[in-house]
Amino acid sequence: MRRLAVIIGAMVVGLALASSPATSIHRDGFEGGQVRFRRGQATVKSREEAHAITQQHAHTAPASEYIKIAAEDASRELNPYLHYVYATPHAPINDETAASIWVRASRPGVQLLARVVLPKERDPANVGSPLTVLVPGEKSTLAGGRWQRLELRQFSKLAAEERQRLRTRLNKDVDISEAYVDQLVLNLHAGPGPMEVWIDDLEISPVPAPTPDALPSVRSEARSKAAPGPPPPGVRPIGPAPVEFQRDQLRVNNRSVLFRGIRHTDTPLKALRDAGINTLFFPDAMPPAVAAEATKLGFWLVPNVPIEGDGAAREIARMAGDDAVLAWYLGDWRTTDQRDAVIRTATAVRAADPQRPIACDVREDFWNYSRSIDLVGSHRWPLFTSLDMSKYRDWLAQRRNLCRPNSFTWSWVQTHLPEWYLDVVRPARTPAGFSQPVGPHPEQIRVLTYLSIASGAKGVAYYSDRALSDAQQGRDRLLQIALLNQELSLLEPLLVTAVDTPTWIDTSVPQVKAAVFRSERGVLVLPIWLGEGTQYVPEQGAITKLVVTVPQVPVGTQAWDVTPGEVRSLMVERVVGGTQVTLPEFDHTAAIVFTADTSPTGLVVRWQDLVRRMGPNAAQWNYDLADVTLRKVETIQKEMTKLGVALPDSELLLKASRDSIQRAKAAWEASDYRTAYREAQRAQRPLRVLARDQWKSLLKGMDPPTASPFGVSYFSLPQHVALIRQIAGSSPRDNLLPDGDFENGKDSPAGWQIVLNTLDDVELIAKPIDEAAVGKRALQLQVKPKAPPAGQQPPPPPQALERTFLGAESAPVRLTPGSLVRISFQVKVPTPITASADGLVVYDSAAGEALGVRIAGPLPQWKRYTLYRQVPTDGEIRVVAALTGIGTAMIDDVRIEPLVSGK
């Protein structure tokens, strides 16, 4: 390290200056010991069983506010509510006013509201006080304990609408000038019975900024990343740094680099370094001891900088030195409402450190974020969900296209079991970790990583969980990450210098698509397996003689198959449409490079030198990966045998894997690392065949696989067997959702709540129509671009929507917790749904949208889908149909039928 100390005082001043405009955003992360919400008015009798600040769950660590209530039946109430109130700084009502809060509830139905004070009007019931009104915001739609952000926007419009209602009620004009918000209110009533809610990350803006006692009256304006400008007076920049950002290139010591990061949890740092990780992201404050150890091991550090001014200054002040810092990280999943705070914090950091880039993970508003953030990240967890790999590829491309041209984009890669999976599937755990094998499969991490790179990402970061340090459950994933990092280090010179966005081409196998990169040093082709169901259980994905025809390959280049085990030349042939190359052996992913750079300092010689050095480790890691995978599959297959559902050829496939592992071991002991690498790779293929065939045999008749919560992974098949046997021994009772046929109601469906949420320039329409699967009517959901003003030509339709949700939520059906229920519906999608990777999503409140049915269309005829669920602890089941892209979808004949033991 060049220096162990940065000019902390200067940066602290810069942050303070940039975070103190005339107005600011009020935020509350619910830390400390005191609860913020208090009980308000209610028309529902209830008992508060718990109310505290807790670290059990948090949207942003370390804490959240927890409330548990038990509500009585309020079916006779016309407008049942149970309010909890949060006092806010006065937020004047204007077009910019916005409020939001994150909630995690045991069932859907929590609603955000705001109390608006009209200071120019007197309350008729209490003339000594100003008149107040409640304006409604979003209502939560997720169950199963998943976090959801509730928003309240367009206050000016809401206030105007309330003014009209007050005119009618009070029989006089109402003055709403100088109106302001003084309370945010949560309506926790979602039906009778117990209800648990966690609350975190409250925001409301704009509010008057606090008046500091001793700050210079200097305001730092947000600056372009290309021209940061001078820091505010009194702020001295940090001296020359080894890291700099130029256009779309991240450079360290004057060399463009591809960062290979990981979210720091508790995996030993040396193990991560040995696995080829070069960058550590810290989700919270960086512990000084960890930072010191990481720097000693040669990691680049990406500290998390809170977007609150004081918190940002505090975190930067804790940094031990500047040379190891690769970038400053301004948080995950940033939204439109957080943009101003993010930009202010970025401006303050740049005032003291103009060279290092600012990174951020963005949920929406990519165009504006990419103007001010250097490294624009995104993430999504597709594994175990109904989003297949081809649609995930589309989603990644859409996020890149939403940014400004030539933006530096990167992506988190899923390597973990998401929280919803742990809540719904609940794999058995012991204090030492999971008691049975769990996923993801290593091949899934491989495909996700390659798809991120193929989308144009110039950096990847693995979103690890604590199980990654588990010697039994996480070792296969860590080994796969190590092998991937070897491959990425080989390809780095081409990836960081690629020009333009990668293009996609077909191959000789429909399930394999290839991304093509072009740079001055050659053409890189990445074939990737995108077969159906890869997000659940990967297929073998191995092909003998994969043929790829690559257009516009420069004359005089030679084709190479580049792997950590060996670099070998490939035969090519000029054909109509380009250059045809045949890959003798393909396995889920590959890297083919066309280059003429064969000089002593060129690409080919560099690869050969690197492979000689990394070959022994690559062979060892691939052998270990095959061995760990074999033991995990053997464990599951023993369960399948006990249950009497094991496949007849399972032992033959296991033996084939063991034999290849033995050959790999013998080759490694003979120092034949090339053969050891290949044999270890081959040893994993029979295991994939066995896992996939076992999965398909047990999912037969279920459409989609998410029909069973346990059908989304090979490792939960024992639980799935128990479920299908319970289904087979049960019979359905009458449909308990009487309004699932949409025959009632005129302009809107009776018994259904319509949810409209968008940041896009589109029109949302939900209405019953006279076309049905059964009866006479069905519900039609439609999203279309807004019509242009009269006389203007319509703009091209958007290629991607950032946040559009046109939903219809059924009334709840109450059932015995833990009982089995069958949910079914019929769907029709006349034409393809565009501008969204999700299309139409139909899901239930017990398992959530991850396990819903996704339909992009076309589906010209009505089709029935069926889901099987266990009733959650709150005893309620709802169905939600949501259109997320441009197009039209219809739903009808929605049923919720209890399954009762016996025929």
Side-chain angles (χ1 to χ4, degrees):
M1 290 178 59
R2 193 173 67 253
R3 291 187 312 235
L4 289 177
V6 295
I7 306 172
I8 298 300
M11 191 170 292
V12 170
V13 172
L15 286 164
L17 294 175
S19 58
S20 300
T23 60
S24 66
I25 302 175
H26 173 76
R27 295 185 176 86
D28 196 336
F30 298 93
E31 300 177 17
Q34 298 298 317
V35 297
R36 318 295 205 270
F37 277 86
R38 59 178 177 80
R39 291 192 66 144
Q41 296 180 341
T43 59
V44 180
K45 292 184 178 179
S46 66
R47 181 177 68 258
E48 185 179 88
E49 298 183 346
H51 191 177
I53 300 297
T54 177
Q55 296 185 359
Q56 179 186 11
H57 296 291
H59 177 256
T60 301
S64 64
E65 184 161 335
Y66 170 68
I67 302 173
K68 182 178 182 181
I69 57 173
E72 296 183 7
D73 180 63
S75 57
R76 294 186 178 182
E77 290 289 339
L78 183 63
N79 180 32
Y81 59 85
L82 176 57
H83 288 170
Y84 273 73
V85 177
Y86 180 101
T88 72
H90 290 185
I93 296 296
N94 56 49
D95 291 339
E96 303 300 321
T97 311
S100 66
I101 194 167
W102 286 83
V103 298
R104 183 185 195 270
S106 57
R107 50 179 163 162
V110 176
Q111 185 175 22
L112 173 65
L113 306 99
R115 188 174 83 164
V116 175
V117 180
L118 307 179
K120 299 293 185 69
E121 298 289 340
R122 297 291 93 188
D123 186 348
N126 183 6
V127 293
S129 300
L131 183 63
T132 62
V133 294
L134 282 180
V135 295
E138 291 181 335
K139 183 181 291 188
S140 68
T141 59
L142 300 181
R146 289 183 299 283
W147 286 100
Q148 181 175 1
R149 188 168 186 255
L150 303 182
E151 292 185 308
L152 215 168
R153 302 173 65 86
Q154 298 182 316
F155 273 88
S156 295
K157 178 181 177 183
L158 292 171
E161 292 173 351
E162 191 61 39
R163 178 186 186 184
Q164 294 299 324
R165 284 189 283 270
L166 288 171
R167 280 175 172 172
T168 302
R169 180 164 66 90
L170 301 177
N171 196 27
K172 73 181 189 72
D173 195 16
V174 175
D175 187 352
I176 64 172
S177 62
E178 300 182 23
Y180 60 87
V181 176
D182 74 334
Q183 291 180 0
L184 293 182
V185 179
L186 284 179
N187 182 7
L188 301 190
H189 181 259
M195 176 75 160
E196 292 182 286
V197 181
W198 290 263
I199 306 163
D200 205 354
D201 290 340
L202 177 147
E203 292 187 3
I204 183 170
S205 65
V207 298
T211 306
D213 295 330
L215 282 180
S217 57
V218 179
R219 181 177 178 184
S220 174
E221 299 292 344
R223 295 165 305 169
S224 160
K225 64 184 180 185
V235 177
R236 291 181 295 143
I238 293 175
V243 180
E244 58 181 335
F245 182 73
Q246 297 179 355
R247 295 185 180 178
D248 62 345
Q249 295 290 312
L250 181 60
R251 300 175 63 83
V252 179
N253 294 324
N254 297 315
R255 181 177 70 87
S256 294
V257 298
L258 177 82
F259 72 79
R260 305 183 299 276
I262 199 164
R263 176 176 175 265
H264 177 259
T265 53
D266 57 353
T267 305
L269 294 184
K270 188 177 184 305
L272 296 176
R273 187 62 189 173
D274 291 345
I277 297 293
N278 60 24
T279 305
L280 292 180
F281 283 75
F282 289 81
D284 302 305
M286 182 187 300
V290 175
E293 182 187 357
T295 301
K296 185 177 180 181
L297 289 170
F299 283 102
W300 293 325
L301 308 179
V302 183
N304 184 69
V305 179
I307 58 177
E308 296 84 359
D310 291 344
R314 188 167 54 251
E315 289 305 311
I316 295 173
R318 293 180 59 174
M319 292 303 303
D322 62 308
D323 286 359
V325 175
L326 181 71
W328 304 101
Y329 190 56
L330 303 192
D332 292 332
W333 212 227
R334 293 308 189 189
T335 62
T336 301
D337 292 342
Q338 296 170 312
R339 186 186 66 219
D340 290 345
V342 169
I343 292 174
R344 283 198 298 271
T345 305
T347 301
V349 174
R350 285 197 184 100
D353 188 357
Q355 285 185 262
R356 287 187 181 81
I358 307 295
C360 188
D361 176 71
V362 178
R363 175 187 175 186
E364 61 199 16
D365 205 0
F366 281 82
W367 182 269
N368 286 316
Y369 268 110
S370 62
R371 296 178 61 183
S372 305
I373 299 299
D374 304 304
L375 315 181
V376 182
S378 59
H379 80 266
R380 183 165 185 174
W381 313 142
L383 300 184
F384 318 111
T385 78
S386 51
L387 185 75
D388 63 32
M389 291 295 102
S390 62
K391 290 300 181 183
Y392 177 64
R393 176 188 65 166
D394 295 345
W395 185 88
L396 288 169
Q398 289 167 356
R399 305 284 81 70
R400 180 178 175 85
N401 291 335
L402 287 167
C403 295
R404 290 163 59 88
N406 301 318
S407 294
F408 185 111
T409 58
W410 61 279
S411 180
W412 286 106
V413 175
Q414 181 181 359
T415 69
H416 66 298
L417 298 175
E419 185 176 346
W420 69 261
Y421 182 94
L422 296 173
D423 287 341
V424 175
V425 180
R426 295 181 292 277
R429 299 197 70 160
T430 68
F434 296 107
S435 60
Q436 292 293 319
V438 296
H441 292 269
E443 297 84 358
Q444 294 172 321
I445 298 172
R446 168 169 292 278
V447 170
L448 293 180
T449 301
Y450 266 70
L451 283 176
S452 293
I453 294 298
S455 74
K458 294 192 175 180
V460 294
Y462 299 99
Y463 200 89
S464 66
D465 57 2
R466 293 185 178 276
L468 196 64
S469 63
D470 189 317
Q472 298 301 318
Q473 304 298 349
R475 191 168 181 229
D476 55 342
R477 290 179 276 158
L478 189 57
L479 287 165
Q480 183 66 278
I481 290 171
L483 290 165
L484 285 164
N485 284 332
Q486 285 188 325
E487 296 165 36
L488 293 177
S489 67
L490 289 169
L491 303 175
E492 184 175 31
L494 294 164
L495 293 171
V496 298
T497 59
V499 295
D500 299 327
T501 303
T503 57
W504 287 89
I505 60 176
D506 295 330
T507 72
S508 58
V509 177
Q511 295 93 333
V512 180
K513 308 296 180 184
V516 180
F517 298 74
R518 301 184 186 276
S519 75
E520 293 182 357
R521 306 186 71 176
V523 177
L524 170 64
V525 182
L526 300 180
I528 306 173
W529 180 271
L530 298 178
E532 184 179 356
T534 299
Q535 76 273 27
Y536 304 124
V537 182
E539 293 184 66
Q540 179 183 188
I543 299 163
T544 302
K545 295 185 178 179
L546 178 73
V547 180
V548 187
T549 301
V550 185
Q552 301 176 359
V553 172
V555 176
T557 59
Q558 186 175 354
W560 300 86
D561 176 20
V562 182
T563 74
E566 66 175 320
V567 177
R568 56 182 173 178
S569 62
L570 301 171
M571 298 298 295
V572 300
E573 179 183 357
R574 291 283 175 174
V575 298
V576 175
T579 301
Q580 181 176 286
V581 61
T582 300
L583 193 64
E585 200 170 352
F586 170 83
D587 195 332
H588 274 95
T589 64
I592 303 169
V593 180
F594 294 88
T595 185
D597 193 2
T598 57
S599 68
T601 58
L603 280 176
V604 177
V605 174
R606 174 183 181 271
W607 291 331
Q608 291 170 340
D609 180 55
L610 284 173
V611 167
R612 278 192 294 271
R613 285 185 281 155
M614 65 176 53
N617 275 343
Q620 178 69 59
W621 291 340
N622 226 1
Y623 169 85
D624 290 343
L625 178 57
D627 186 59
V628 172
T629 304
L630 172 64
R631 285 187 274 116
K632 292 178 74 170
V633 172
E634 284 176 331
T635 300
I636 297 298
Q637 286 308 125
K638 286 178 181 177
E639 292 293 318
M640 297 292 98
T641 300
K642 289 179 184 177
L643 293 168
V645 294
L647 299 177
D649 58 350
S650 58
E651 281 303 318
L652 290 175
L653 290 167
L654 291 171
K655 182 180 183 302
S657 178
R658 295 187 194 108
D659 291 345
S660 286
I661 288 175
Q662 288 302 312
R663 288 192 291 270
K665 181 179 181 182
W668 197 89
E669 291 173 346
S671 300
D672 183 1
Y673 303 121
R674 178 185 304 176
T675 300
Y677 180 89
R678 292 289 182 188
E679 285 296 334
Q681 199 168 43
R682 292 166 185 149
Q684 297 167 58
R685 295 170 188 166
L687 302 177
R688 293 198 290 266
V689 171
L690 175 54
R692 177 78 174 197
D693 287 353
Q694 184 74 76
W695 175 73
K696 287 177 67 177
S697 71
L698 294 174
L699 267 291
K700 197 173 294 182
M702 288 202 167
D703 183 17
T706 54
S708 162
F710 311 112
V712 298
S713 171
Y714 169 72
F715 300 108
S716 58
L717 286 182
Q719 296 162 276
H720 174 71
V721 171
L723 177 65
I724 58 178
R725 288 178 174 174
Q726 186 181 359
I727 293 170
S730 303
S731 58
R733 293 298 183 257
D734 292 339
N735 178 21
L736 298 182
L737 187 65
D739 50 358
D741 54 8
F742 303 102
E743 299 297 317
N744 300 319
K746 184 179 179 183
D747 298 324
S748 62
W752 290 73
Q753 179 183 357
I754 302 301
V755 181
L756 299 90
N757 190 348
T758 186
L759 292 178
D760 304 295
D761 198 22
V762 293
E763 185 178 357
L764 310 181
I765 304 168
K767 62 180 181 180
I769 60 170
D770 294 331
E771 178 182 350
V774 296
K776 296 181 180 179
R777 304 209 312 167
L779 177 64
Q780 177 178 277
L781 303 175
Q782 186 176 40
V783 175
K784 59 183 182 180
K786 286 184 179 178
Q792 294 187 15
Q793 291 294 323
Q799 299 301 302
L801 299 183
E802 296 205 61
R803 193 215 305 176
T804 290
F805 183 98
L806 171 57
E809 177 186 318
S810 77
V813 169
R814 293 198 57 80
L815 294 159
T816 304
S819 62
L820 192 62
V821 64
R822 183 174 75 181
I823 301 167
S824 64
F825 46 86
Q826 296 199 57
V827 171
K828 182 178 180 180
V829 180
T831 58
I833 299 168
T834 61
S836 166
D838 293 276
L840 174 70
V841 189
V842 186
Y843 60 95
D844 63 276
S845 59
E849 59 84 19
L851 295 184
V853 178
R854 282 175 168 77
I855 304 165
L859 190 64
Q861 304 298 323
W862 287 99
K863 181 176 179 180
R864 177 173 294 282
Y865 292 91
T866 302
L867 308 174
Y868 297 95
R869 301 291 186 251
Q870 287 184 319
V871 178
T873 55
D874 63 9
E876 288 191 358
I877 293 281
R878 303 169 189 254
V879 176
V880 178
L883 185 57
T884 65
I886 294 175
T888 301
M890 291 169 275
I891 183 169
D892 195 11
D893 195 19
V894 185
R895 303 184 182 193
I896 300 177
E897 301 166 306
L899 291 178
V900 180
S901 179
K903 297 294 185 181

